[in-house]
């Protein structure tokens, strides 16, 4: 069967040049099992790459085989009855066979490495290789008509929705500005140490999970129990310190149990990353998307991920990590939210309000990001009132310093330190836009 499919595909390529350009990205010698068919395809590939048409004489010149043999073999292939096989069907069949061959080779390779390599490295390696086997390349040039059809379909679907079109943050004032977090977006959440970045990300992930959106938090700094303590404290109104110390009243204990069971039923996952490599993180994200259907990924935090590139500065390394996270968001059609530390320069500025230049080891972070958000609490810097004399105690500004398609602006929230929870203000001044695109 395979031999016949290979002959049919080659015969059609010889007869119709358009097939080559339409399926160029998936056509290569690895599709063919027969050495003869590999050589014939190489000849076709060489001629078409040079802009030539295909004929036996030109094939002779391009081939490394004996001229008579090549003429004879090409004549046999060209005369092969292939009308009962569609070209696309031939490609799909041979691509499946190619994947199967690679999969079998991987199994053999892994079996040989068992006992010689660290099991965690072996699992990471196998996941990466499996991802490469399952990749499906684009089979043609983009078509504007198709793209517009897709665009109009999305517009139509958005019109049918009553509320926001993206992933909810759980805060009305934020959703009004963003219209929900969008798939394929990279969102950077910046803030000084202990400013509340992790608490905000927990609140956002929990709120999206409550809305039925599967979410995962990758934590490099805090343990799972530390994050769960904050999360349950925020939900149950039991102080963080009380949960950590175990000094709970009977009523507090029952609330912790009750809200723990409620959180348990949500599509929320926490991954305590023991491996800091970028490759490990990307593979873990892929696994969550495939197995848990995750749509929102939180990473706490960006500067703790490593790419281990010799000869590169840390700024270049972090820039590569940011770009890789943007690419994986596009590839998997998910929203990635990464937390980022700020440089100490922010403390030298009057008011200490952050800006894009304050992102630590920024490099390409702000360029790769679709949205950059800063968490700013004036009381953290000892500022207890604003320029109008209003108290800033327990107040937080969520600053949108960059926003593709949404503009920049500021959202005012209340922050309850006891329960590590951001709360939406009830008054009408909770949201205002500084500028718009």
């Amino acid at each position: 069967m395979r031999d016949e499919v290979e002959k049919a595909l080659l015969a059609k390529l010889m007869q119709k040049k358009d097939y080559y350009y339409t399926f160029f990205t998936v056509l290569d010698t690895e599709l063919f099992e027969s050495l003869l068919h590999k050589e014939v395809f190489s000849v076709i590939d060489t001629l078409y790459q040079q802009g030539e048409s295909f004929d036996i004489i030109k094939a002779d010149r391009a081939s490394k085989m004996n001229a008579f043999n090549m003429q004879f073999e090409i004549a046999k292939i060209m005369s092969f009855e292939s009308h009962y096989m569609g070209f696309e069907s031939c490609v799909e069949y041979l691509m499946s066979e190619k994947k199967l061959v690679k999969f079998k080779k991987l199994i053999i390779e892994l079996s040989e490495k068992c006992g010689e390599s660290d099991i965690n490295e072996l699992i990471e390696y196998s996941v990466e290789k499996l991802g490469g086997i399952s990749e499906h390349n684009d089979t043609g040039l983009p078509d504007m008509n198709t793209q517009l059809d897709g665009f109009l379909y999305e517009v139509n679907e958005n019109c049918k929705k009553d509320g926001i079109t993206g992933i909810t943050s759980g805060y009305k004032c934020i959703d009004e500005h963003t219209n929900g977090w969008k798939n394929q977006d990279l969102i950077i959440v910046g803030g000084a140490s202990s400013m509340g970045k992790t608490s905000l990300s927990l609140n956002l992930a929990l709120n999206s999970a409550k809305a039925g959106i599967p979410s995962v938090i990758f934590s490099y700094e805090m343990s799972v129990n530390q994050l769960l303590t904050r999360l349950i404290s925020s939900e149950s109104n039991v102080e963080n310190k009380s949960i950590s110390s175990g000094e709970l009243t009977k009523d507090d204990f029952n609330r912790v149990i009750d809200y723990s069971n409620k959180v348990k039923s949500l599509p929320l996952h926490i991954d305590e990353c023991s491996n800091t490599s970028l490759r490990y993180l990307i593979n873990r994200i892929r696994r969550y998307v495939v197995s848990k259907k995750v749509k929102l990924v939180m990473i706490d935090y960006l500067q703790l991920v490593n790419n281990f590139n010799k000869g590169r500065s840390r700024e270049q390394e972090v820039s590569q990590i940011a770009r890789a996270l943007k690419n994986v968001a596009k590839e998997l059609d998910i929203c990635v939210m990464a937390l980022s530390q700020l440089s100490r320069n922010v403390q030298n500025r009057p008011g200490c309000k952050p800006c894009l230049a304050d992102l630590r080891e920024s490099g390409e972070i702000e360029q790769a990001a679709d949205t950059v958000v800063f968490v700013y609490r004036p009381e953290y810097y000892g500022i207890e009132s604003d320029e109008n004399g209003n108290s800033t105690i327990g107040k937080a500004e969520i600053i949108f310093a960059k926003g593709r398609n949404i503009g920049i602006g500021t959202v005012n929230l209340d922050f309850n330190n006891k329960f590590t929870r951001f709360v939406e203000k009830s008054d009408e001044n909770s949201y205002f836009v500084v500028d718009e695109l």
Side-chain angles (χ1 to χ4, degrees):
M1 175 67 178
R2 177 164 184 170
D3 189 68
E4 292 181 349
V5 175
E6 289 183 8
K7 287 179 181 176
L9 185 134
L10 290 172
K12 290 178 183 295
L13 277 175
M14 294 174 189
Q15 295 161 9
K16 193 173 181 179
K17 194 175 183 179
D18 288 350
Y19 284 138
Y20 177 81
Y21 294 113
T22 302
F23 293 88
F24 170 75
T25 56
V26 295
L27 294 173
D28 59 48
T29 54
E30 289 187 2
L31 283 179
F32 304 95
E33 185 176 45
S34 164
L35 292 177
L36 171 64
H37 295 162
K38 287 178 183 287
E39 173 63 20
V40 173
F41 174 77
S42 294
V43 170
I44 296 172
D45 184 51
T46 299
L47 291 175
Y48 287 167
Q49 280 289 312
Q50 294 172 351
E52 302 280 354
S53 58
F54 182 87
D55 63 47
I56 291 180
I57 296 176
K58 291 176 181 176
D60 280 344
R61 295 171 185 163
S63 175
K64 297 176 183 177
M65 289 177 61
N66 176 278
F68 174 77
N69 289 342
M70 177 55 74
Q71 289 180 21
F72 179 71
E73 296 297 342
I74 287 177
K76 283 202 304 183
I77 292 172
M78 292 185 75
S79 63
F80 182 76
E81 291 289 337
S82 61
H83 61 273
Y84 59 93
M85 295 184 196
F87 188 86
E88 190 169 348
S89 297
C90 291
V91 171
E92 289 178 356
Y93 175 83
L94 293 178
M95 283 183 66
S96 296
E97 290 295 306
K98 174 183 171 182
K99 290 178 182 178
L100 183 60
V101 170
K102 285 187 173 182
F103 185 64
K104 288 178 178 178
K105 287 181 179 179
L106 178 60
I107 292 175
I108 295 171
E109 182 184 356
L110 292 175
S111 65
E112 292 174 348
K113 287 186 175 182
C114 281
E116 298 178 1
S117 304
D118 177 75
I119 186 61
N120 293 321
E121 291 181 359
L122 203 57
I123 292 172
E124 184 180 339
Y125 176 77
S126 62
V127 170
E128 182 182 9
K129 289 295 183 182
L130 285 171
I133 292 173
S134 63
E135 280 182 2
H136 178 70
N137 294 321
D138 181 21
T139 58
L141 297 175
D143 176 70
M144 179 59 78
N145 291 333
T146 304
Q147 291 172 330
L148 282 171
D149 286 343
F151 165 73
L152 293 173
Y153 174 81
E154 182 176 327
V155 171
N156 185 52
E157 289 299 304
N158 289 341
C159 290
K160 293 178 183 178
K161 296 177 181 177
D162 293 331
I164 61 174
T165 58
I167 299 170
T168 183
S169 66
Y171 299 99
K172 183 181 177 182
C173 52
I174 292 179
D175 286 346
E176 284 179 349
H177 183 48
T178 63
N179 201 25
W181 310 120
K182 299 298 188 295
N183 289 341
Q184 303 190 18
D185 274 7
L186 171 63
I187 299 162
I188 300 296
V189 179
S193 180
S194 301
M195 186 62 71
K197 300 185 301 297
T198 300
S199 296
L200 179 63
S201 69
L202 272 176
N203 290 169
L204 295 174
L206 179 64
N207 291 338
S208 68
K210 285 180 179 178
I213 306 297
S215 307
V216 60
I217 300 168
F218 289 96
S219 177
Y220 288 91
E221 188 174 37
M222 300 177 68
S223 69
V224 171
N225 282 349
Q226 287 175 318
L227 290 176
L228 288 176
T229 297
R230 289 192 175 197
L231 194 150
I232 299 302
S233 172
S234 174
E235 285 293 284
S236 65
N237 284 339
V238 177
E239 284 192 31
N240 199 326
K241 289 183 180 179
S242 298
I243 296 176
S244 298
S245 65
E247 297 176 355
L248 298 170
T249 64
K250 185 176 180 180
D251 183 53
D252 286 344
F253 182 79
N254 288 335
R255 286 212 305 276
V256 168
I257 296 297
D258 183 38
Y259 280 93
S260 295
N261 288 329
K262 290 180 179 178
V263 170
K264 193 185 296 183
S265 65
L266 298 175
L268 180 64
H269 313 278
I270 298 176
D271 195 310
E272 186 179 355
C273 292
S274 55
N275 189 324
T276 62
S277 78
L278 174 63
R279 188 174 73 170
Y280 176 83
L281 174 62
I282 297 299
N283 287 333
R284 294 291 285 181
I285 292 174
R286 286 197 177 102
R287 287 184 65 185
Y288 275 104
V289 171
V290 172
S291 62
K292 303 296 183 182
K293 311 302 179 187
V294 159
K295 298 301 290 183
L296 178 64
V297 172
M298 298 272 190
I299 300 165
D300 185 13
Y301 56 88
L302 188 64
Q303 282 78 13
L304 291 179
V305 182
N306 289 303
N307 200 20
F308 303 114
N309 273 337
K310 292 182 179 179
R312 288 185 175 272
S313 67
R314 181 57 184 160
E315 181 178 324
Q316 291 173 320
E317 192 176 329
V318 172
S319 296
Q320 281 188 330
I321 293 167
R323 179 56 61 185
L325 292 176
K326 171 60 181 175
N327 290 340
V328 83
K330 292 177 66 177
E331 174 195 340
L332 301 177
D333 193 33
I334 59 174
C335 177
V336 175
M337 188 174 292
L339 277 58
S340 176
Q341 290 279 31
L342 300 185
S343 68
R344 297 188 184 277
N345 293 335
V346 69
Q347 299 177 12
N348 301 326
R349 188 181 305 118
C352 304
K353 188 169 287 192
C355 64
L356 289 174
D358 294 321
L359 289 171
R360 181 176 292 178
E361 297 158 337
S362 57
E364 200 178 330
I365 295 178
E366 61 265 37
Q367 280 77 33
D370 296 278
T371 302
V372 177
V373 181
F374 291 115
V375 182
Y376 174 63
R377 294 190 295 115
E379 68 171 310
Y380 175 87
Y381 297 105
I383 302 172
E384 298 184 355
S385 60
D386 60 21
E387 60 273 12
N388 297 319
N390 299 316
S391 174
T392 59
I393 305 299
K395 307 298 180 183
E397 294 181 21
I398 310 302
I399 303 168
F400 285 81
K402 176 185 177 181
R404 289 193 183 123
N405 302 320
I406 63 173
I408 59 177
T410 300
V411 170
N412 294 320
L413 298 177
D414 289 335
F415 179 69
N416 190 316
N417 194 41
K418 288 184 179 179
F419 307 128
T420 58
R421 180 175 63 212
F422 286 86
V423 182
E424 192 161 18
K425 293 167 65 70
S426 59
D427 63 75
E428 61 183 8
N429 294 319
S430 61
Y431 170 75
F432 63 94
V433 176
V434 178
D435 195 7
E436 292 183 348
L437 291 179

